[in-house]
Amino acid sequence: MRSPTCFCSFSYSSTNKTIIVKHLCDIVLCETFLLLFMFSRDLSEDDREEDEVAEETSRQKTGQKEKEDADLQLNLEIDEEFKFSCIVYHPLTTFLPAEPPDLHVIHQRIKSNMEVLQDFGVKREEGRTRQEYLALLRRDMAAYYSYSDFLLKMLMDIFPLPELINFLEANEVPRPVTIRTNTLKTRRRDLAQALINRGVNLDPLGKWSKTGLVIYDSSVPIGATPEYLAGHYMLQGASSLLPVMALAPQENERILDMCCAPGGKTSYIAQLMKNTGMILANDSNAERLRSVVGNLHRLGVTNAVVSNCDGRQFPKVLGGFDRVLLDAPCSGTGVISKDPAIKTNKDEKDILRCAHLQKELLLSAIDSVNATSETGGYVVYCTCSITVEENEWVVDYALKKRNVRLVATGLDFGKEGFTRFKDRRFHPSLKSTRRFYPHTHNMDGFFIAKLKKFSNAIPKTQKGNLAASHAETTWVLPTALFSFVSDDEPAAEAAKPSTGPETVMEPQAKKKKLESSKIAQEQKKPQPALKKRHSLQGQRRPLKAARPSPHKSYAQVPNRKKHKVKQNGQ
């Protein structure tokens, strides 16, 4: 039911209706302005809060930046005493970092700890040992360069600390691209000119190589030029040229490349041999042999035979080679710049497994060489690893197991191999081996050793030698005693009973030496003299039997025969 006012409002005139509508519009506008005012006030409060939060954040960032600048300034001050910047955690407690590590702070701490370790007696903090500094440094380097703790600890045993930093930094930069000129089809000068005309910036690799070129930049793909497809050059690392140079193959020789894939070293050997002789390119992986066949065809190699055999069983397949090249499978710690996954996926079991395989392959390679070769008899062992377990340890093992010796590699650069490492002592001739590092020679890490085989006989083990010596003492000495008694002693003395082995053997020691020397002299005389001696002995025996003795003469012969049987039984 409507109110009376409403009914009255409908009875108003048109003028009154206009006034009412205007009042209603004013009311709506007022309410709208009120709502807008309240909404704007809420927005201003939110903006004010956001501004306060932004100001506080900027203030915190400014304070943090000032703090970092202060830390950097403290690191730059030389006279200030160094403070040990590590938190010692309990070994049984694990802390998860709330934030990712600041690499800039870690890098500064590495530099600071390096300075302290180089002058530890002066700059160290009181109460801190060298082992604590080394543990902190290893942890920081593992976090900064992304290495596993095992591999970093092994590298710290190989390199001094300043050289270790250079090695780690060099592994973060790729090695220069190098190519090898195929002299079977072109000359290095002509190849360089052709590539320069195509927009390639290059230089000779070095004075030590007559075929290598280093590529700085190129406007065309190096692996797709017409010269590459025609086989005028091979993409090959600088360190891969060194083993073939150390092998020094000669024309018309029989060469074995035991682990040949992808064929760079095999084609280089054929190039130095001028396609004469024979090269047996072997690899245990059949899939990788496809690239070997393709490269040999492209480069124009005609004196190579490709085989797929296990290198450890190779002497049973074929032997008698003049030279053998063994680029053994390894852990790859020298080519980390090509495969960064090596930083974390290698452990001690992998290193020892590779070392065991390398020992087997090296012994097989030595057995495949002919020591009586007029021009050869050499084995070159190389790996792309820098660990001692895969290099010096393997070569030292081969020196003990086979009749080989180390010779000079013929390379006039590179660092000498280790003759002692931690608690191990190697043969002094391991100084003639060569090591190559990325931070020193700007090439992949490599190890090269050259062995000369001087006898095809395989030496027996120490146990075998001891058994042979025991056999000689047990079987040769009774024969000498028997010959001495039967030929030179009278039958009466031989038939005398003996009280014991000690009483019989000791008094006649000097006499036995004299008689054995007499026997040796008589054996050197010509055959007629021996016959004459036997005839004289036959003439003397009846005279000896006629001597006065407590025994009868006819009983002396059975006594002698009985003595002989007794000696043979012994």
Side-chain angles (χ1 to χ4, degrees), residues 31 86 227 374 390 440 466 535 561:
E31 291 179 354
C86 84
E227 288 78 13
E374 297 179 357
E390 299 178 79
T440 306
L466 288 175
S535 62
K561 289 182 179 180

Side-chain angles (χ1 to χ4, degrees), residues 42-56:
D42 294 338
L43 287 177
S44 62
E45 290 178 357
D46 294 339
D47 294 339
R48 194 179 300 111
E49 290 178 358
E50 290 179 359
D51 293 339
E52 290 178 357
V53 172
E55 290 178 0
E56 185 178 357

